[in-house]
Amino acid sequence: SDEAAENAASITTPMLAAIMQARESILVISPYFVPRQSGIRVLSELQDSGVQVDIVTNSLASSDHLLVHSGYAGSRKPLLSHGVRIYEMRGDVHVTGTRRAGTDGSSSSLHAKAFIVDNRYFFMGSFNWDPRSAEINTELGVIIDSPKFASKMAASITQAIPTRSYEVFLNDDGELRWRGKADGRVEIWDRE
């Protein structure tokens, strides 16, 4: 019924509880990462407390929603300035199981929605880290308490990051840069 849906517990409650108990690390995988000011604050505070926060999301080149990407773009500098690590999926690398993105020339687009806390808790579901998912209570997911499973998933993702993504960083002047590997060489780009 409509009333039952209105009164149902929000998926964000257990997700936030899992994230806030992090002591070592949080790995977020989200194709549509738009954390808003409150999310930037929480992730920055966790990073400042000694929890390594890593974000894997779509780059401009791999995104199939350019409007969402524009909502995410402004969060990069504040997060990076606190030490959060951000990785954006490359648009020129074919990743098995992905579909062609809506941007010209892209052969990959991230669609997984997950997070891993302290290599112990693994969340997988439909929740995107964006206002729509947070405010409209139609998302679902499961949190698995399994150090063996969570650490295996984290290791798999971490192993793929160097060849399938750009690492976003701030140069000495505080400007965004993208670092990636191509043909065994490290390359740095000054534009998305």
Side-chain angles (χ1 to χ4, degrees):
S1 74
D2 288 342
E3 184 179 337
E6 279 293 318
N7 295 324
S10 171
I11 191 173
T12 58
T13 304
M15 288 177 60
L16 188 57
I19 290 164
M20 295 310 292
Q21 69 182 353
R23 297 293 171 258
E24 297 173 11
S25 63
I26 298 173
L27 173 59
V28 174
I29 304 100
S30 179
Y32 313 122
F33 181 74
V34 184
R36 296 193 292 190
Q37 288 303 315
S38 58
I40 292 170
R41 186 179 63 252
V42 167
L43 294 173
S44 296
E45 287 173 358
L46 283 165
Q47 181 70 42
D48 292 346
S49 75
V51 175
Q52 180 57 59
V53 179
D54 293 338
I55 310 293
V56 180
T57 191
N58 277 316
S59 66
L60 176 62
S62 67
S63 180
D64 57 356
H65 289 285
L66 300 182
L67 188 60
V68 173
H69 184 80
S70 68
Y72 147 72
S75 69
R76 292 180 292 202
K77 280 189 178 184
L79 290 170
L80 291 168
S81 69
H82 284 270
V84 172
R85 295 186 298 214
I86 299 175
Y87 304 95
E88 296 179 351
M89 290 296 295
R90 295 176 65 116
D92 61 347
V93 176
H94 177 71
V95 180
T96 302
T98 62
R99 64 181 175 83
R100 186 171 177 83
T103 51
D104 292 341
S106 176
S107 62
S108 65
S109 183
L110 178 67
H111 289 276
K113 298 154 185 152
F115 69 81
I116 302 167
V117 175
D118 291 342
N119 285 333
R120 176 177 174 174
Y121 298 102
F122 176 80
F123 168 87
M124 175 72 69
S126 63
F127 185 87
N128 286 300
W129 288 63
D130 67 357
R132 184 191 171 282
S133 287
E135 293 171 4
I136 301 174
N137 196 19
T138 60
E139 307 298 343
L140 56 91
V142 62
I143 297 176
I144 301 168
D145 181 355
S146 170
K148 183 176 181 181
F149 183 69
S151 60
K152 183 175 181 181
M153 293 303 296
S156 176
I157 293 162
T158 301
Q159 182 180 13
I161 283 173
T163 57
R164 298 199 171 146
S165 70
Y166 304 104
E167 179 183 6
V168 185
F169 67 98
L170 297 175
N171 69 6
D172 292 339
D173 296 325
E175 299 299 323
L176 290 172
R177 296 294 181 260
W178 291 260
R179 181 178 9 242
K181 288 188 177 178
D183 300 323
R185 295 182 333 268
V186 174
E187 296 181 341
I188 295 177
W189 291 268
D190 60 5
R191 292 197 173 134
E192 295 191 64

